[in-house]
Amino acid sequence: MKIILFLTAVLILMSNAQPSIRYSLSMSKPQTHLFEVEILITGYTPTTVDLHMPAWRTGRYLLLDFSGGVQEFTVTDEHQHPLPFRKTDKDTWRIDKGNAKTVTAHYKVYANEFNMRTRELTGEHAFVDPLSVFMYVDDLKNSPLQLNVHPFGNWNVTTGLDDVEGSPFTYTAPNFEYFGDCPLEIGNQHEIEFFVDGKKHIICIYGDGTWDADLLVHDFTKIVIANKEFWGDLPYKKFVFMIHCQPNAGGGTEHINSTIMGTRPFVFSNPQMYKGFLGLVSHEYFHTWNVKQLRPKAIAPYDFSRENYSEELWISEGTTSYYDDLLLVRAKFNDAKKFIENINQMVNNERLRFGNRVQPLADASFDAWIKYWRGRQNSQNAETDYYSKGSYLSLLLDLEIRHRSTNAHSLDDVMRTMYHRFPLTKGFTNADFQKVCEEFGGGSFKEFFRDYLYSTVPLPWEKTLSYAGLEVVSLDSLPKPGLGISTQDMSDKTKITNVTPGSPAERAGLEINDEIAAVNGFRVRSVELNERIAAMKAGSEVTIHLFRNDKLKQVTLTLENVRTPNFIVRKVPKPTDQQKSIYEQWLGEPW
Ligand SMILES: [Zn+2]
């Protein structure tokens, strides 16, 4: 009886043994750009196991089909006997494991995608966004996991993942999503440490450049503190700022407790370009809260197998774009004058971009997967950019709330409340966001969201900017003749890159990709095309010679006057007390 009881207990213990998953990453021949991956699964009882390669990575809402880079997949049991497997779709390897106690999968991944910030392995370094390299098992997505890295030669590893004490290059993560959000830089990167609130921050730089470590620490610390004051906390144990300092590098991606940013080596010695770089740092770091914690419901949690449609990305990206500039003003990296110059550009861009009248902002967010990230030639004419217009709408919301609440509240309050009310486990919707705006704005925002988020009504710049004592002035004195095209010189060809809908050029049949050879018999370059046309008279005829598919064509059109929006934003001469106080509290500078 005792023996039977004992056996039963052992069997129960065995069947309750938690399945576990362990990853290993090697890079024995970096010159081949091939990572070697091993996945060890133990204690998983079903007779088949599906390994899935993620189809996209966080921050870029586009299917990247990482499985395309996978090769030489093999799988064995605990006796190193091969197990049968087959692919069931582009991202899934189904293994018939039968009663095998362990399953060990091996495969290689071709890693040569530096500018995508996904995976790269060269003789110089390795960069890994885990979603682009490691497969997952649906049933084990929420289980803790371990990663062992075998760096090449004397290379080192920098990552936001937690170290396992006493085991070099061994890391843990509480689940696959967290693991997938912790990129790794592997090589001979520079590491600079600083502390804020007792929390370690690491600036990790791959490459050489004209950076000054003390200045970076000084400026990054200011950005960290400005965000901590804004949000009220630092939601991580440690933070890693990864920088790829390389020719042609640019852009960045936010992660759960790190960010990866690209910049060119000599940017640091040019004050203007360096400020641009700090703008990128400010943007990516603000994401640590806005999208990495305060996240649209549609991407909380992420589903890595397919598109995750969200109408809220305009808040995740646009509101972040608004605050990346604003916090630099409040932290005194830039002044209010510079910020107002940026608003000039916002007004002109919003009014010039034809796509803003075609696609509502919420739709631009939803369709990011098939439009924004695909970048078509007619994007300007057909699509709203949810980064830019999202930032414009955030600015207008901020001033609207300040005005309605007699400067008692702002979008800052909305963002902080959203952050506390909608933790990562919950996610938020546009309706939640509108409700919090109404709480602080004291009244309905129904029309505001209907017109500017769900429809294409032009933004009310004049009215809303006046709340902060700013006026919009049109400099467009005289309409001039124009064709309504944009061109770009490529080698010795002047190519049409955009045709404005309804323009004289569109009516005359000019198309994107046409090569303009001559205007009225004379060759023309992009730089002087508009000037030459503007110097002519409305009503006169113009003959354009162009090549289309290498065939010469002649087009004659009658010139018309076109109006080009050209606005500047400036302070009103005599502000009211409320305009002044909104301006000062908004920008942190005296009027
Ligand atoms: Zn962003």
Side-chain angles (χ1 to χ4, degrees), residues 59 61 252-254 280 283-284 287 290-291 313 316-318 320-321 324 373 386-387:
Y61 305 98
T253 300
E254 65 279 7
L280 175 65
H283 179 97
E284 301 306 338
H287 271 313
N290 192 25
V291 88
L313 294 179
S316 304
E317 286 303 341
T320 299
S321 300
D324 67 32
W373 289 101
Y386 67 89
Y387 278 71

Side-chain angles (χ1 to χ4, degrees), residues 54-66 113-119 127 129 131-132 180-181 244 248-255 260-262 280 283-284 287 291-292 295 299 302-310 313 316-317 364-375 386-387:
W56 61 285
R57 68 139 170 93
T58 66
R60 185 178 284 248
Y61 305 98
L62 174 70
L63 294 191
L64 291 169
D65 294 329
F66 297 123
E113 293 172 357
F114 181 67
N115 285 330
M116 303 293 271
R117 295 184 288 281
T118 51
R119 55 192 183 196
F127 174 77
D129 181 316
L131 295 176
S132 68
D181 220 346
H244 285 166
N248 305 321
T253 300
E254 65 279 7
H255 289 285
I260 167 68
M261 300 173 287
L280 175 65
H283 179 97
E284 301 306 338
H287 271 313
V291 88
K292 284 299 155 189
R295 195 178 298 173
I299 51 172
Y302 297 116
D303 178 348
F304 298 121
S305 70
R306 58 176 188 85
E307 296 90 343
N308 297 195
Y309 300 104
S310 164
L313 294 179
S316 304
E317 286 303 341
S365 170
F366 189 89
D367 275 339
W369 301 85
I370 52 163
K371 287 181 182 278
Y372 180 85
W373 289 101
R374 300 266 187 199
Y386 67 89
Y387 278 71

Side-chain angles (χ1 to χ4, degrees), residues 479-482 533-541 558-562:
K480 295 185 192 110
I533 297 293
M536 298 176 192
K537 283 201 164 52
S540 58
E541 286 204 331
T558 307
L559 278 184
E560 290 169 30
N561 279 333
V562 291

Side-chain angles (χ1 to χ4, degrees), residues 16 29 41 89 101 128 148 196 208 215 223 245 276 279 285 298 356 382 398 400 422 447 458 476 558 564 582:
N16 284 347
K29 291 183 197 159
I41 302 164
D89 64 34
K101 290 192 176 60
V128 177
N148 287 85
V196 177
D208 295 312
L215 184 66
I223 291 173
C245 190
Y285 187 62
N356 285 330
D398 195 2
E400 187 72 35
F422 299 96
E447 281 79 27
D476 186 19
T558 307
T564 310
I582 287 182

